Amino acid sequence: QVQLVESGGGLVQVGDSLRLSCAIVKSPPVFSGTYTMAWFRQAPGKERQFVASLMWRAGDTRYLDSAKGRFTISGDYANNMMYLQLSDLNPWDTAVYYCAADRRPLWRSDYASSDRQYSYWGQGTQVTVSS
């Protein structure tokens, strides 16, 4: 059973930075080769929103437009960890951030950014940006 465990959320001020982590706990060889990892977020009363995706071991990344230049997704392949570095945070970044994974390589951008394409989800970590 694949399990994704997020951590690193918290309460920060406008302009601050934060690094979210996602531990990929799996029973091998559920995932092998190139597969897709991503971060989504959900603010109160809003739908879940794509933030960034990473093609595991291939390195291809995609970002929400408003995240470009501020957020960086990365992976530590040896230790099965994924990260989302958040910088220059503002109040509308406040949300629960979720780690997601699918064993398929989602090369199409519309697939990679769609939460319906992901089979595995973490429990989420809260990020609150205070003004």
Side-chain angles (χ1 to χ4, degrees):
Q1 182 68 28
V2 175
Q3 185 179 11
L4 305 175
V5 181
E6 302 98 331
S7 61
L11 173 63
V12 296
Q13 303 294 314
V14 170
D16 281 353
S17 299
L18 205 59
R19 189 176 80 158
L20 307 182
S21 300
C22 174
I24 308 162
V25 181
K26 63 186 185 291
S27 300
V30 175
F31 282 179
S32 62
T34 299
Y35 51 91
T36 312
M37 301 291 299
W39 288 96
F40 287 78
R41 66 185 182 185
Q42 188 166 23
K46 295 188 177 181
E47 293 186 354
R48 192 157 51 189
Q49 180 185 44
F50 169 78
V51 176
S53 65
L54 170 67
M55 207 64 72
W56 203 251
R57 294 193 180 88
D60 294 56
T61 59
R62 290 187 172 90
Y63 292 93
L64 175 70
D65 282 346
S66 63
K68 291 177 182 177
R70 297 191 303 127
F71 297 176
T72 302
I73 188 171
S74 62
D76 178 349
Y77 306 139
N79 295 300
N80 290 324
M81 293 291 297
M82 181 175 69
Y83 302 100
L84 185 67
Q85 179 69 44
L86 311 173
S87 62
D88 193 22
L89 286 163
N90 50 60
W92 49 90
D93 293 318
T94 294
V96 177
Y97 283 71
Y98 295 93
C99 172
D102 195 85
R103 64 185 69 185
R104 300 168 297 162
L106 301 175
W107 295 110
R108 283 178 51 168
S109 60
D110 55 339
Y111 280 20
S113 61
S114 170
D115 60 355
R116 292 174 293 180
Q117 298 297 330
Y118 292 85
S119 301
Y120 304 99
W121 292 86
Q123 82 289 350
T125 185
Q126 176 72 47
V127 173
T128 303
V129 184
S130 173
S131 57

